Amino acid sequence: MNQETWTAVDEFLADALIAPDAVQEETLRRNAAEGLPAIDVSPVQGKFLYLLAKIRGARRILEIGTLGGYSTIWMARALPGDGRLVSLEFSAKHASVARENVARAGLRDVVKICVGAALDSLAALEVEGEEVFDMIFIDADKPNNPEYLKWALRFSRVGTVIVGDNVIRDGRVADLADDDERVVGSRRLVEMMGEEPRIDATALQTVGQKGYDGFAIGLVVA
Ligand code: SAH
Ligand code: DHB
Ligand code: MG
């Protein structure tokens, strides 16, 4: 099994399971034209996040790490008309591209993108009295994952679903001698989800067009 196979299978799955999606194809074209890195979730992963939000019946979603809004749009599509998605992005350039993509998707009134370091935006949201979220997707700078999980818990209630992206990193997560700060951030996210009494969690390894990686998923139970 190799990358070529994983990519071909992802294409088969997307063809079989995802309706033609001109809006999201244009999102990826715009991102590439603006020079954004192609590190968005894949189409089948995006639809997985969309289905999780639907299964949860989410009305309010928090995303940490917007990039060009590809995952944002997938999740926002799962919300009811009066739903809300708040997405946090450090780069003003990324946020600006994402806002255009979100508007083209017809989701301008549902999605709010906050520009700045996510830890600052999270503190500001708390001061502003932002309510708890039904689903939280952590997908920004990996070294801050432990802090993002602590904030996710502050913005959670019983039933909130917390998803972390990129927790496998080609298997490096399990090599305890690997002290790359991004790998350590992802490893700590998984360990903290296991240690935290308020969270019931698991994680799944994935292969696909983005290589070998995985998601952690936790349900807030207390
Ligand atoms: N969720 C997106 C991909 C996000 S890529 C998708 O799947 O479509 C990670 C993003 O996190 C990048 O846009 C990067 O600029 C942003 N980022 C990096 N450090 C950050 C920080 N400290 N606060 C907020 N966003 C950050
Ligand atoms: C990277 C970040 C991501 O969120 C991702 O899904 C893939 C790669 C990265 O920083 O390399
Ligand atoms: Mg990611």
Side-chain angles (χ1 to χ4, degrees), residues 153 191-201 219-222:
L153 279 164
E191 290 171 344
M192 285 173 68
M193 281 179 141
E195 292 158 4
E196 171 55 55
R198 288 184 62 200
I199 300 180
D200 207 4
L219 178 66
V220 176
V221 294

Side-chain angles (χ1 to χ4, degrees), residues 39 139 142 165-166 169 210:
I39 55 174
D139 190 23
K142 311 312 172 191
D165 194 22
N166 311 115
R169 294 262 158 188
K210 292 190 64 186

